């Protein structure tokens, strides 16, 4: 995790869909950004702030069989805390396992031009 070595997207909103190598019973997600100390500008305003996590079997909003995405949680990445933050996900969908995870970034910490994500980890069985 070094400055500039991130997945950056234009603006303060964006999303990424991750195809998992197998169906997974999801339990948590980890999001990581650099610290203020590592940032060349001394700020981390490009860090994601409000995030939602969705899952699906087919990687689309509505699958061919009519299955929609399911929301597993919303949370706030706090730039004042540790750079690697783990967020537990709702377990209401167990025992279901999913093939795709969508990370939807709704806002960042104030950068109007871009948002950066340095690492996303998915936890589960």
């Amino acid at each position: 995790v070094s400055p500039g070595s991130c997945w950056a997207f234009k603006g303060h909103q964006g999303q990424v869909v991750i195809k998992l190598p197998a169906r997974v019973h999801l339990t948590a997600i980890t999001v990581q950004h650099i610290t203020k100390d590592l940032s060349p500008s001394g700020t981390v305003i490009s860090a994601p702030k409000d995030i939602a996590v969705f899952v699906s079997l087919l990687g689309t909003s509505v699958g061919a069989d009519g299955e929609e995405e399911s929301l597993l949680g919303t949370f706030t990445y706090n730039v004042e805390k540790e750079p690697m933050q783990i967020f537990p996900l709702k377990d209401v969908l167990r025992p279901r396992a999913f093939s795709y995870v969508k990370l939807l970034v709704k806002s960042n910490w104030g950068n109007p031009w871009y948002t950066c994500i340095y690492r996303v980890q998915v936890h589960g069985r």
Side-chain angles (χ1 to χ4, degrees):
V1 180
S2 58
S5 296
C6 69
W7 173 65
F9 55 88
K10 187 176 180 179
H12 63 275
Q13 295 181 334
Q15 66 183 24
V16 61
V17 176
I18 301 165
K19 183 177 185 203
L20 303 170
R23 286 189 180 181
V24 176
H25 298 273
L26 297 156
T27 58
I29 193 160
T30 297
V31 176
Q32 184 174 359
H33 195 273
I34 60 170
T35 62
K36 290 179 186 177
D37 294 340
L38 288 176
S39 173
S41 68
T43 69
V44 287
I45 61 173
S46 68
K49 184 177 181 183
D50 296 309
I51 300 171
V53 176
F54 296 86
V55 290
S56 71
L57 290 170
L58 301 173
T60 59
S61 293
V62 179
D65 61 356
E67 173 136 2
E68 296 182 17
E69 293 177 331
S70 298
L71 176 67
L72 288 191
T74 59
F75 52 88
T76 300
Y77 180 89
N78 187 337
V79 294
E80 298 301 324
K81 293 185 177 179
E82 293 296 317
M84 185 178 284
Q85 298 175 27
I86 300 172
F87 302 96
L89 300 172
K90 294 178 187 175
D91 62 359
V92 295
L93 298 174
R94 287 190 191 143
R96 299 205 51 208
F98 294 91
S99 303
Y100 293 88
V101 176
K102 180 168 85 174
L103 187 75
L104 173 65
V105 177
K106 297 179 179 182
S107 64
N108 67 21
W109 284 93
N111 189 319
W113 300 286
Y114 62 91
T115 302
C116 287
I117 296 176
Y118 282 83
R119 182 173 289 150
V120 174
Q121 294 174 314
V122 177
H123 308 275
R125 298 180 291 288

